[in-house]
Amino acid sequence: MASERMADGPHGDRPEGRPGDRQEGLPRPRDPVGDRQEGLPRPLDSIDRDILHILHTDGRASIRAVAERVHVSRANAYARINRLIDDGVIRGFGARINHERAGQGASAYITLKIVQNTWRTVREHLRTLPGASHIALVSGDFDVLLLVHTPDNRALRELVLTRLQSIPEVLSTRTLLVFEEDDLDPES
């Protein structure tokens, strides 16, 4: 039932939503920067890991279903999920999207070499790019790996040649077209 989805509180009540929540009533994922920086992250026990596996497999699982599957009370499951959010272990809830069916028929990994010590500036530029879905600072022959999804190759070309290469801190780019992609099933 929709009323029993993740938005349910420990007693079946919907917690008060906060402005800007991605889905009404869901606990708001917090930015882990600044959270628990004073010490090491809390260790996860087997129940926490089971909860993470359930939510990774089905982010729409109800509190009741999660509690039943890990053999704890609904209040305990709700408290644990909120703690995992507060600790930055759970960063958010989302959907796995078939980009081609969603009108984003061209996908590419783009590698970037950037000016030393400009990662934060470049990251802010990359976050504003249409179709950017993953950004990583990496080691090796290049500095940044960017995954983008665009409607077609023309839009991809525009993004690379106009948007990316106009960022002053970007020294060079290399585009790797994705011919086929498949999200790994969390159950495997």
Side-chain angles (χ1 to χ4, degrees):
M1 270 176 113
S3 64
E4 294 178 6
R5 296 281 180 220
M6 282 299 306
D8 291 352
H11 304 291
D13 304 330
R14 294 174 78 75
E16 294 200 21
R18 297 182 186 115
D21 278 354
R22 293 173 66 191
Q23 291 176 312
E24 183 179 319
L26 281 179
R28 184 184 183 123
R30 291 183 177 79
D31 184 357
V33 176
D35 289 352
R36 298 199 48 82
Q37 289 210 1
E38 65 277 3
L40 296 173
R42 276 184 265 224
L44 302 181
D45 63 17
S46 62
I47 293 172
D48 292 331
R49 286 189 294 277
D50 288 346
I51 289 172
L52 291 174
H53 179 74
I54 291 166
L55 294 177
H56 185 76
T57 303
D58 179 9
R60 295 178 60 184
S62 68
I63 293 288
R64 176 179 289 147
V66 170
E68 287 172 0
R69 287 181 59 190
V70 299
H71 309 290
V72 298
S73 69
R74 285 177 26 182
N76 188 335
Y78 189 77
R80 283 175 176 267
I81 291 168
N82 278 326
R83 180 179 47 86
L84 291 167
I85 291 169
D86 289 343
D87 287 353
V89 176
I90 295 176
R91 299 184 309 171
F93 300 89
R96 293 192 323 247
I97 298 169
N98 180 322
H99 294 283
E100 193 169 356
R101 288 189 175 210
Q104 302 291 306
S107 297
Y109 285 97
I110 303 169
T111 66
L112 295 88
K113 288 186 181 182
I114 61 173
V115 174
Q116 188 173 358
N117 297 321
T118 61
W119 160 243
R120 288 175 184 81
T121 303
V122 171
R123 179 180 54 198
E124 293 312 309
H125 284 290
L126 299 179
R127 284 181 172 164
T128 67
L129 293 176
S133 68
H134 186 83
I135 304 165
L137 178 65
V138 298
S139 64
D141 293 336
F142 49 88
D143 304 305
V144 177
L145 183 62
L146 170 67
L147 175 61
V148 297
H149 304 282
T150 61
D152 52 36
N153 284 340
R154 183 179 301 259
L156 178 60
R157 179 183 181 278
E158 177 70 20
L159 185 132
V160 173
L161 296 179
T162 303
R163 302 285 301 267
L164 277 177
Q165 292 183 358
S166 70
I167 299 171
E169 297 83 4
V170 172
L171 300 173
S172 67
T173 64
R174 182 178 215 175
T175 303
L176 307 164
L177 292 176
V178 174
F179 295 127
E180 188 174 317
E181 63 184 318
D182 191 15
D183 287 333
L184 298 179
D185 185 358
E187 288 292 317
S188 4

